[in-house]
Amino acid sequence: MTQDVHDQVALYISRTRYPFPGQQDWPEGYYAICNAGDPKRGIETADGGIYYPDIIIVSPKDEVREVGEVEMTIDPSKIPMMRLGSETADDRTPTKVRHFFLYVPMGLEAEAKAMLEEAGISYAGVRGFEATEAGFRIVPFHTAGDQYDHQITEPGLV
């Protein structure tokens, strides 16, 4: 899959899952920013650089609340950036895990979950995605945070 597909998936997720359609408990003023293809809001790294997660949710005060990453492969070299995304996200979940979500092509979810857990990265969910004729479908694989987030997103919502 190409970078173009990656960017389309990230944009679709940012528009359909943050918040979910009809979600009543989405905090007022929170909004999703999709950095894929056109970085807008980053996180400062320890060396003074800027890391741009694919999806970042911020409060009205520009505080990072949630982070989402779309990965096309399982790449251990990305663990430091995933760790930074997780550590920057809040832990306001029922289980106190961080609001970090990882989205991977369907079939890679177990490997993604294992990579996060082996690296000790706190996360709220691992999701699989697939392209269909109607658009993208997002399917939860494992939810460690709020069970409300364990929802399938069907194609055609955008």
Side-chain angles (χ1 to χ4, degrees):
M1 291 188 205
T2 66
Q3 184 67 35
D4 186 49
V5 171
H6 166 276
D7 294 354
Q8 290 173 27
V9 170
L11 185 59
Y12 179 76
I13 291 168
S14 72
R15 290 181 175 173
T16 60
R17 296 182 70 87
Y18 297 102
F20 290 105
Q23 185 172 349
Q24 299 297 311
D25 63 347
W26 185 256
E28 187 174 339
Y30 280 33
Y31 59 99
I33 299 169
C34 182
N35 284 316
D38 183 23
K40 297 169 191 69
R41 170 66 164 82
I43 299 169
E44 189 170 340
T45 63
D47 64 3
I50 301 291
Y51 155 59
Y52 292 94
D54 292 321
I55 303 163
I56 191 166
I57 311 307
V58 295
S59 73
K61 295 179 181 179
D62 197 42
E63 302 162 310
V64 176
R65 293 300 180 201
E66 300 185 35
V67 172
E69 284 292 356
V70 175
E71 295 297 335
M72 305 306 282
T73 61
I74 303 304
D75 184 351
S77 73
K78 296 191 177 182
I79 287 173
M81 292 301 105
M82 289 182 199
R83 184 180 316 284
L84 178 59
S86 171
E87 290 173 354
T88 304
D90 73 35
D91 64 356
R92 296 178 187 170
T93 61
T95 55
K96 293 300 182 194
V97 296
R98 298 220 168 252
H99 264 126
F100 177 75
F101 294 89
L102 181 57
Y103 301 86
V104 296
M106 285 191 183
L108 297 180
E109 302 97 333
E111 191 177 351
K113 180 180 180 283
M115 180 180 69
L116 291 173
E117 291 177 356
E118 288 170 15
I121 296 173
S122 179
Y123 67 93
V126 173
R127 311 292 183 238
F129 64 84
E130 67 179 343
T132 71
E133 287 184 19
F136 296 107
R137 183 169 189 253
I138 314 303
V139 178
F141 177 77
H142 180 75
T143 301
D146 189 337
Q147 286 303 305
Y148 182 83
D149 292 332
H150 200 81
Q151 295 187 38
I152 294 173
T153 303
E154 295 292 346
L157 290 177
V158 176

